[in-house]
Amino acid sequence: SGIKISFPWSNGAPKDRKFASSFSPAFERAALWFNIGVIYVRAAESQSLESDEGTRSACAFYSHAAGIFKHIQEQVLAGVTVPASGCDLSGPSLTSLTKLMLARAQECYVLKAQRDQSKDSLLAKVAAACGDLYDGAHEALAGSSPLAERKLAL
């Protein structure tokens, strides 16, 4: 009836690497988008948070990564069954990563507000929003996310 091509995927944990595969081209697109999201995370991590420009760039990169992880979950994999429960491409994992990247982006604003010696009230609001985002990321990780099995440095 047609040619079946298996698209393999392995999660990002080198110690406990789990493999999945699917015959769905959407799964392959999701894997490609995921890797682009990781590139944005790496770009953010390479920025110097000591300068305004580096902080702005890191914030933008984390925000882009969050958008990509959300896009994978809501658009690319909509209606697609992800084959492995331990897969980074699972819904809970993508939710966790989206929230974590948003928290990291907000943390950049906290650092900038501290560096600029902003008013205490503004700093408190920005820091509280950052804390709420990290709480959301933690809750998502502690839930049914396969990422909960791994130790992630928040």
Side-chain angles (χ1 to χ4, degrees):
S1 67
I3 298 173
K4 285 191 170 187
I5 299 173
S6 178
F7 299 105
W9 172 261
S10 67
N11 68 24
K15 280 187 176 181
D16 185 30
R17 192 162 302 267
K18 294 183 181 177
F19 295 90
S21 66
S22 173
F23 293 105
S24 169
F27 188 73
E28 177 65 7
R29 281 192 305 277
L32 176 70
W33 277 110
F34 188 91
N35 287 329
I36 292 169
V38 170
I39 289 169
Y40 275 115
V41 172
R42 296 288 188 207
E45 291 173 346
S46 72
Q47 301 303 305
S48 169
L49 300 179
E50 301 299 318
S51 71
D52 287 349
E53 182 61 32
T55 304
R56 262 193 301 278
S57 294
C59 179
F61 289 140
Y62 283 130
S63 296
H64 289 317
I68 286 173
F69 296 138
K70 189 170 185 74
H71 172 72
I72 294 167
Q73 184 176 15
E74 293 182 353
Q75 302 294 319
V76 180
L77 289 178
V80 175
T81 302
V82 177
S85 63
C87 184
D88 291 338
L89 295 173
S90 70
S93 288
L94 291 168
T95 297
S96 300
L97 289 169
T98 299
K99 291 181 178 198
L100 181 59
M101 293 307 106
L102 291 174
R104 298 294 302 263
Q106 183 70 23
E107 184 178 1
C108 293
Y109 285 113
V110 172
L111 294 172
K112 173 121 173 53
Q114 286 175 325
R115 192 171 46 247
D116 293 348
Q117 297 179 343
S118 298
K119 290 182 180 181
D120 289 344
S121 60
L122 175 64
L123 184 57
K125 288 178 185 177
V126 174
C130 182
D132 290 344
L133 287 167
Y134 272 115
D135 284 345
H138 181 263
E139 287 172 16
L141 281 168
S144 59
S145 170
L147 295 175
E149 299 169 8
R150 297 185 231 146
K151 293 181 181 177
L152 296 178
L154 296 178

